[in-house]
Amino acid sequence: MVPYSVIFTLILLTSYVSVSTSKASDGMRHDVRHFPDGFLFGTATASYQIEGAWNEDGKSENIWDHMTHENPCVIDDCSNGDIADDSYHQYKRDVEMMRELGLHYYRFSLSWSRILPTSFPDKINEAGVAYYNNLINEMLKYNIEPMVTLYHWDLPQKLQELGGWANPHIVDWFGDYARIAFELFGDRVKYWITMNEPREVCYQGYGYTTKAPRLNIHGIAEYMCAKNLLVAHAKAYHIYDEEYRALYGGTIGITLSITWHEPESEDDAQAAEDENQFEWGIYVHPVFSVTGDFPPVMKEKIAAKSAAQGFARSRLPEFTAEEIEYVRGSSDFLGMNYYTAYLVYRNESVYSAHAVPSFYDDMDCVRYQPANWEGGASKWLKKVSWSFYKSLMKIKEDYNNPIVYITENGYSTTGGLDDDDRILYIREYIDAMLDAIEDGANVQAYTAWSLMDNFEWMQGYTERFGLYEVDYQSPERTRTPRKSAFIFKEMVRSHALDWHYEPDTTVMTIDEGH
Ligand code: GBH
């Protein structure tokens, strides 16, 4: 007998061929789907978004402190991360929430300027180190593995004044910082992530003004940033590989923001592929492809445009042969942050729509999200779960099926404990992920963004991504589980996605063994 699940899978697969139908509404989903043995669950946060204590105990200024203090209303609600979730003081409650959820691991990031107030290894801030030791030790007491990101966007301000990621010396600065982190925490931390979302760092922060440091030097700075950041990542990888791996036996990789670009029509297939290459191939290709280096389409297009525009050389910096080898293969896994998708069409006559030079002008594409795509509180965050499947399959096929950890996936609301929209989003995306796993994608972990509400960068506290709601009026930043927290907890506990599970949300408990 052919099991129903096989038939359903076939039906679901065929639905992926069509462009924008969300299969979740087709009523054909499995009721209960089990995760593979050993599959891991966690939640994620980042230092600037949760810690607060921005100038306590010797921490120095980072680019987010600097920007939000100099120019508060670049943030939608003119807020900042000075206190944020106060996790610097509330970390025990954070660990308690991890226990409530029954997490296998928790992904958080280190604040460079908290550990190294001068930015350099000449002075280690013991109080900052103690905070991370306390957090890590508290987690390990309950068998929750730390997954640590070295860099989640909060560069020490001093290094920014020296050019930040546009200065090639940052390869050494980042390497020095990474070595100190491995030295301090490597005996207990087995999962390391060098960088979170280089695209957002470089494109938004250096090319445009939608992240600190808001340089707005488009068509130039984002490419300089991309190259230096990739070499710096590789430096940290090789330091771990050569100096710490044998000792500690951990794993280290990079986290990239992947966004699917779907052709608007058949004629736009090449445009959508170009857009995928520009948006994330720029980071995946150098690290995960067989040949290394930036994607050929970027090298060709940017070199040609640069020449036509009168530049003396391509605005996309070249890697030396040595650097190509250094970066190629420098990741044990691909950390994938996945949220949304766009439709793309080719348009070479929209120069006026894009600054010249710029990243978008360079690729000759336009992307957009159709008005009828449903979404969360964040303008950009449309629920497009079929695109998650497509992205995972493309990573599998184009890059020799690397180990993938989903290091972020999640949904925003404007608040409230009844978050059925978030639950639907998470279930749909996890369903799509399970389809990809069934079809051979090597996905081994899923991380929900976020454990709790936090400072959502330019949107401040106006957009809420938490499984736990945070009350910003209360001094201790009281955390309360949303309905989605109960759903997530059950998914981890049962090791299965159950579309019909309805939780009792009256009381959150810590299960035995956690
Ligand atoms: C992640 O970024 C971050 O890692 C995390 O810190 C953040 O809180 C979370 O997700 C929720 O936002 O780039 O201008 O074209 C998500 C990155 C942000 C990438 C929005 C796509 C689309 C607008 N995404 N972006 S733009």
Side-chain angles (χ1 to χ4, degrees):
M1 185 188 122
V2 183
Y4 274 107
S5 63
V6 171
I7 296 169
F8 287 163
T9 305
L10 290 173
I11 294 168
L12 292 176
L13 283 178
T14 53
S15 77
Y16 283 115
V17 176
S18 69
V19 174
S20 58
T21 47
S22 166
K23 78 185 176 63
S25 55
D26 65 14
M28 305 240 196
R29 56 176 91 97
H30 311 245
D31 286 350
V32 178
R33 296 184 80 177
H34 290 272
F35 295 99
D37 289 347
F39 192 88
L40 300 175
F41 288 97
T43 62
T45 60
S47 46
Y48 186 74
Q49 295 180 275
I50 65 160
E51 286 178 5
W54 79 275
N55 61 354
E56 260 182 73
D57 292 346
K59 175 181 166 296
S60 70
E61 198 183 34
N62 64 44
I63 57 175
W64 283 86
D65 297 318
H66 187 80
M67 180 185 79
T68 57
H69 293 159
E70 292 288 304
N71 204 352
C73 293
V74 296
I75 308 300
D76 284 356
D77 53 4
C78 308
S79 67
N80 56 50
D82 285 4
I83 304 175
D85 294 356
D86 195 33
S87 283
Y88 191 70
H89 302 109
Q90 309 294 338
Y91 73 89
K92 285 200 173 166
R93 172 63 180 134
D94 293 348
V95 176
E96 188 177 64
M97 288 144 56
M98 300 169 206
R99 296 170 62 204
E100 289 171 355
L101 295 173
L103 302 183
H104 302 122
Y105 64 92
Y106 171 59
R107 175 178 177 234
F108 64 97
S109 78
L110 303 178
S111 160
W112 188 336
S113 67
R114 194 182 293 290
I115 296 174
L116 300 177
T118 68
S119 317
F120 302 109
D122 58 322
K123 185 171 173 289
I124 296 178
N125 179 21
E126 295 303 335
V129 172
Y131 165 65
Y132 293 116
N133 276 331
N134 290 339
L135 171 63
I136 291 167
N137 293 343
E138 182 75 5
M139 289 167 56
L140 289 176
K141 238 199 259 178
Y142 303 106
N143 294 318
I144 301 157
E145 289 283 335
M147 179 183 277
V148 173
T149 309
L150 292 171
Y151 185 72
H152 198 128
W153 305 359
D154 46 356
L155 193 74
Q157 175 62 22
K158 277 281 177 301
L159 296 186
Q160 194 62 57
E161 284 160 23
L162 293 170
W165 298 105
N167 185 337
H169 287 294
I170 202 161
V171 173
D172 286 332
W173 305 336
F174 185 71
D176 295 344
Y177 161 58
R179 181 181 285 106
I180 282 179
F182 301 148
E183 194 67 45
L184 289 170
F185 310 117
D187 58 336
R188 288 153 294 152
V189 173
K190 304 301 171 192
Y191 293 95
W192 290 98
I193 293 168
T194 55
M195 309 279 181
N196 181 70
E197 298 192 346
R199 178 200 178 265
E200 276 51 51
V201 174
C202 296
Y203 163 77
Q204 298 198 302
Y206 287 66
Y208 288 97
T209 58
T210 47
K211 291 282 180 301
R214 304 180 74 234
L215 291 190
N216 208 22
I217 310 176
H218 32 73
I220 296 176
E222 64 271 60
Y223 299 136
M224 297 169 69
C225 171
K227 183 195 159 178
N228 295 328
L229 188 149
L230 281 164
V231 181
H233 147 79
K235 179 98 189 179
Y237 174 86
H238 288 292
I239 288 171
Y240 190 82
D241 196 44
E242 286 154 25
E243 301 173 27
Y244 295 93
R245 193 194 293 280
L247 198 56
Y248 295 137
T251 182
I252 179 165
I254 189 166
T255 277
L256 306 174
S257 54
I258 307 290
T259 304
W260 182 253
H261 296 93
E262 179 75 17
E264 185 192 54
S265 74
E266 269 170 38
D267 297 343
D268 298 307
Q270 190 57 49
E273 172 60 11
D274 290 357
E275 181 111 23
N276 281 331
Q277 293 305 326
F278 269 74
E279 300 278 359
W280 45 270
I282 182 175
Y283 302 106
V284 181
H285 199 274
V287 180
F288 292 93
S289 72
V290 181
T291 52
D293 204 353
F294 286 126
V297 64
M298 290 194 76
K299 294 173 61 171
E300 285 154 25
K301 276 185 175 284
I302 299 168
K305 292 249 183 182
S306 301
Q309 290 159 351
F311 287 87
R313 63 192 66 80
S314 179
R315 288 176 279 100
L316 182 69
E318 284 185 16
F319 287 109
T320 64
E322 208 184 14
E323 286 166 339
I324 289 175
E325 280 314 297
Y326 194 64
V327 173
R328 195 170 66 95
S330 63
S331 211
D332 301 332
F333 58 86
L334 196 163
M336 177 167 174
N337 290 356
Y338 199 83
Y339 288 91
T340 199
Y342 293 84
L343 298 187
V344 177
Y345 61 91
R346 174 71 78 211
N347 192 333
E348 293 176 349
S349 61
V350 289
Y351 288 0
S352 59
H354 302 297
V356 179
S358 72
F359 177 77
Y360 278 100
D361 180 63
D362 285 340
M363 80 175 95
D364 293 325
C365 296
V366 176
R367 71 172 191 174
Y368 69 100
Q369 293 169 312
N372 64 351
W373 284 8
E374 291 162 34
S378 315
K379 207 167 67 241
W380 54 272
L381 212 185
K382 304 300 176 200
K383 177 164 64 70
V384 202
S385 54
W386 54 264
S387 72
F388 192 20
Y389 174 87
K390 287 200 174 189
S391 298
L392 287 167
M393 296 311 283
K394 182 171 170 64
I395 298 278
K396 169 185 182 281
E397 272 142 35
D398 290 4
Y399 304 103
N400 195 27
N401 205 12
I403 294 173
V404 172
Y405 299 150
I406 305 305
T407 43
E408 284 181 30
N409 175 238
Y411 191 76
S412 56
T413 66
T414 53
L417 296 179
D418 271 332
D419 54 347
D420 288 320
D421 288 359
R422 173 175 290 110
I423 292 165
L424 180 62
Y425 177 101
I426 290 177
R427 281 175 166 164
E428 278 191 26
Y429 275 62
I430 285 186
D431 219 358
M433 177 185 78
L434 284 169
D435 289 337
I437 292 173
E438 273 180 22
D439 291 344
N442 196 2
V443 187
Q444 302 189 357
Y446 175 93
T447 319
W449 182 273
S450 176
L451 174 63
M452 57 191 160
D453 293 339
N454 53 55
F455 176 79
E456 177 52 20
W457 308 111
M458 304 315 262
Q459 282 65 51
Y461 300 98
T462 64
E463 296 176 4
R464 305 299 187 90
F465 278 87
L467 298 180
Y468 284 71
E469 179 159 87
V470 176
D471 174 10
Y472 291 98
Q473 307 308 317
S474 70
E476 60 283 5
R477 299 297 192 267
T478 306
R479 292 108 155 95
T480 309
R482 293 201 167 100
K483 187 174 173 186
S484 58
F486 293 88
I487 297 281
F488 198 70
K489 175 190 173 93
E490 175 61 11
M491 204 157 62
V492 180
R493 192 201 62 77
S494 62
H495 213 63
L497 167 67
D498 178 353
W499 275 88
H500 299 297
Y501 174 72
E502 266 297 323
D504 169 5
T505 59
T506 48
V507 54
M508 180 57 100
T509 53
I510 296 174
D511 293 346
E512 214 176 311
H514 297 276

